[in-house]
Amino acid sequence: MVDTDQKPDYDDYLPQPEAQAINDFVKQNYPDARIIEIDREKNGGTEVEILDGMICRELYFDNKNVWLRTTWEVRLAELPAAVKEAVNLKYQGYVIDDADYVQTPSGDWYELDLENERTDHEIDNVKIAANGNWIN
């Protein structure tokens, strides 16, 4: 057990009792994951970084520790063909610069950052479902 009465103060690094709902959520949904970091946000919410196998995921909870979303970076080669085709049709001349997968209680999607290689124009946070349907 870590002695937190000594300096430096490690209290911020130890699991806090109010985070039990977060710990329970991680254990239930990502049983093999390890919590790497828990950050309290200025808005009262919490960001939790976990290592789930080889994937680093970021989980976001509101100020009552209710899960809002989980995100993680995906390689471009892992994107569904429907997503790539939809981008090529709607954003001709753009390439996918970055891709994240987002899970929420109301649904999942990919969030993409696009870049036009000729003009360097960027379009950030484009949302698209795995089937290629655009999300507003």
Side-chain angles (χ1 to χ4, degrees):
M1 183 164 159
V2 175
D3 182 4
T4 60
D5 292 333
Q6 307 269 332
K7 294 292 179 194
D9 186 4
Y10 292 106
D11 286 343
D12 290 339
Y13 301 103
L14 298 173
Q16 301 298 313
E18 67 270 11
Q20 189 59 48
I22 292 172
N23 287 327
D24 292 345
F25 181 89
V26 171
K27 285 179 186 175
Q28 180 179 353
N29 293 281
Y30 306 98
D32 298 326
R34 220 178 51 193
I35 294 177
I36 303 297
E37 184 176 11
I38 298 177
D39 288 327
R40 295 276 182 217
E41 301 295 314
K42 290 180 183 178
N43 66 3
T46 304
E47 178 183 339
V48 179
E49 186 175 329
I50 64 172
L51 185 60
D52 187 18
M54 298 296 291
I55 300 173
C56 184
R57 302 180 199 273
E58 293 178 352
L59 290 72
Y60 299 89
F61 298 84
D62 68 12
N63 60 356
K64 295 181 180 161
N65 293 334
V66 174
W67 175 69
L68 301 174
R69 71 184 178 281
T70 300
T71 65
W72 65 92
E73 196 167 328
V74 287
R75 294 184 303 209
L76 301 181
E78 296 171 340
L79 288 172
V83 169
K84 295 175 188 177
E85 291 169 7
V87 168
N88 289 335
L89 287 172
K90 185 171 182 176
Y91 294 99
Q92 292 181 353
Y94 284 81
V95 295
I96 300 170
D97 186 46
D98 188 47
D100 292 328
Y101 193 70
V102 180
Q103 290 178 318
T104 71
S106 60
D108 304 347
W109 63 81
Y110 290 92
E111 193 165 288
L112 310 175
D113 293 340
L114 308 176
E115 182 179 352
N116 186 309
E117 292 183 321
R118 286 183 291 121
T119 65
D120 288 333
H121 182 260
E122 296 178 359
I123 303 172
D124 294 331
N125 304 322
V126 175
K127 297 177 184 176
I128 185 169
N131 63 5
N133 290 338
W134 295 100
I135 300 171
N136 296 335

